Amino acid sequence: QVQLVESGGGLVQAGGSLRLSCAVSGRSFSSYAMGWFRQAPGKEREFVQGISWDGSSTYYADSVKGRFSISRDNAKNTVYLQMNSLKPEDTAVYYCAAKGLYPTSSANDYGYWGQGTQVTVSS
């Protein structure tokens, strides 16, 4: 079965940058759309960005437009989230997830999930 492992989270000052990685097991990575979600304490899980199976299209939330960028390297079975100009309100556990072919913004559409990585942005 498909397994996803996130890494790259940590503590950063407001205005700083982080790059999250999600390593995906299995031979069918190139067939999946990938998404990044985040969840802060007491809040619902929120869509951040998604990318199609071939990287030709991306889908993003207004809250991170112009600051975050999703990409994938199918040869390495890895998807990335480059996070720039970080704000305290970006603090959350970040999850990667997989579904078929094209991304959506609904967590319920994704069948495979990683365990999450903590991102904390200080003032």
Side-chain angles (χ1 to χ4, degrees), residues 54-107:
D54 60 356
S56 64
S57 62
T58 59
Y59 183 37
Y60 48 83
D62 288 342
S63 60
V64 303
K65 183 180 179 181
R67 300 190 297 121
F68 293 6
S69 180
I70 192 171
S71 62
R72 69 190 296 160
D73 186 340
N74 286 358
K76 296 182 178 179
N77 285 10
T78 302
V79 63
Y80 305 95
L81 184 67
Q82 179 66 47
M83 309 166 68
N84 300 322
S85 301
L86 283 161
K87 305 174 180 179
E89 55 261 42
D90 295 320
T91 295
V93 177
Y94 283 71
Y95 299 89
C96 65
K99 65 180 297 294
L101 297 180
Y102 299 100
T104 67
S105 62
S106 175

Side-chain angles (χ1 to χ4, degrees), residues 28-35 50-59 72 74 97-104 109-112:
S28 59
F29 174 75
S30 62
S31 297
Y32 294 129
M34 301 295 300
I51 189 166
S52 63
W53 70 278
D54 60 356
S56 64
S57 62
T58 59
Y59 183 37
R72 69 190 296 160
N74 286 358
K99 65 180 297 294
L101 297 180
Y102 299 100
T104 67
D109 292 338
Y110 292 76
Y112 303 99

